[in-house]
Amino acid sequence: LALYEAELLTGRTHQLRVQFSDSGAPIVADPYYNPLFIEFLRSNAPASEAPFGLASPLEMGLQAHSMQFRHPHEKSKSITLRLPIPTT
């Protein structure tokens, strides 16, 4: 597992997922762009055999540490949301 810093430029659907997969570092448990996880899903193996030691193979391993965007009604203001970086 790894921690990456990324900045969304276009807001296109699946932008980060596609870019990480194309670079050879797909997001954990991504059912569309992670070849190992796709293989696991096709195998019909029990959830306990999910790759990467996932607690739940149905949750993608992607979390934003912080997000900032313009306020939808007051364009001169911005909204910033932050979460702690996971340690496990």
Side-chain angles (χ1 to χ4, degrees), residues 13 18 21 30 56 62 77 83:
T13 303
V18 170
S21 183
D30 188 329
S56 170
L62 178 64
K77 293 184 178 181
L83 286 173

Side-chain angles (χ1 to χ4, degrees), residues 1-9 15-16 19-20 23 25 27 62-68 82 85:
L1 297 179
L3 174 66
Y4 286 91
E5 182 175 335
E7 183 177 340
L8 294 173
L9 300 176
Q15 178 185 358
L16 288 176
Q19 294 298 322
F20 282 127
S23 72
I27 294 170
L62 178 64
Q63 176 182 324
H65 165 60
S66 67
M67 299 172 81
Q68 183 176 20
R82 295 188 195 284
I85 297 174

Side-chain angles (χ1 to χ4, degrees), residues 7-84:
E7 183 177 340
L8 294 173
L9 300 176
T10 65
R12 292 184 56 103
T13 303
H14 299 193
Q15 178 185 358
L16 288 176
R17 295 165 67 185
V18 170
Q19 294 298 322
F20 282 127
S21 183
D22 286 351
S23 72
I27 294 170
V28 171
D30 188 329
Y32 294 103
Y33 301 103
N34 185 327
L36 289 175
F37 195 70
I38 293 167
E39 183 179 318
F40 164 73
L41 292 175
R42 289 182 180 153
S43 74
N44 292 319
S48 61
E49 294 179 17
F52 317 111
L54 296 173
S56 170
L58 303 177
E59 296 180 11
M60 206 174 357
L62 178 64
Q63 176 182 324
H65 165 60
S66 67
M67 299 172 81
Q68 183 176 20
F69 50 92
R70 287 193 181 132
H71 191 286
H73 303 292
E74 298 181 44
K75 301 297 183 189
S76 63
K77 293 184 178 181
S78 65
I79 297 172
T80 302
L81 306 171
R82 295 188 195 284
L83 286 173

